[in-house]
Amino acid sequence: MNSPLRVLHLEDDVRDTELVRATLEREEIASELTRFETEQDFIAALKRGSFDLILADYTLPSFDGLSALKIAQQHSSMLPLKRSRQAPPIMS
């Protein structure tokens, strides 16, 4: 049995996280989706856990996807990050 895809979701709207979760389930992609919405929580999550993918809202009230990319690259240069909300994808 394959390990589930471990997804860190940087998102301020829980409805968007539920949409991502439903999409993964519909596509039968086993996953562990964990949502964070602040820069501090995002950094702590990167330090604590091992993720396969980061999905990042492009604009948050106090944080943005480009800053998240820079921080993620400092922690793991091989971790893919996908920005959402009308932004082109970024793969690090």
Side-chain angles (χ1 to χ4, degrees):
M1 183 160 143
N2 292 334
S3 297
L5 180 68
R6 296 163 304 193
V7 181
L8 189 163
H9 194 200
L10 181 61
E11 175 59 62
D12 61 329
D13 189 338
V14 70
R15 295 171 298 181
D16 287 344
T17 299
E18 291 307 317
L19 180 61
V20 169
R21 186 181 319 277
T23 301
L24 292 169
E25 288 174 1
R26 184 180 67 241
E27 296 298 322
E28 298 181 2
I29 299 172
S31 62
E32 294 174 1
L33 186 64
T34 308
R35 183 179 72 89
F36 297 95
E37 58 183 281
T38 67
E39 180 177 2
Q40 295 80 11
D41 291 342
F42 178 74
I43 293 169
L46 288 173
K47 289 179 180 178
R48 267 195 324 270
S50 150
F51 294 94
D52 301 310
L53 175 68
I54 298 171
L55 295 176
D57 188 337
Y58 188 64
T59 56
L60 297 166
S62 63
F63 194 41
D64 63 80
L66 291 178
S67 296
L69 173 62
K70 290 175 186 173
I71 292 168
Q73 287 175 328
Q74 291 172 353
H75 289 274
S76 175
S77 62
M78 299 302 292
L79 188 61
L81 182 138
K82 167 76 172 98
R83 295 181 295 169
S84 58
R85 293 220 183 136
Q86 302 176 352
I90 290 181
M91 298 299 282
S92 57

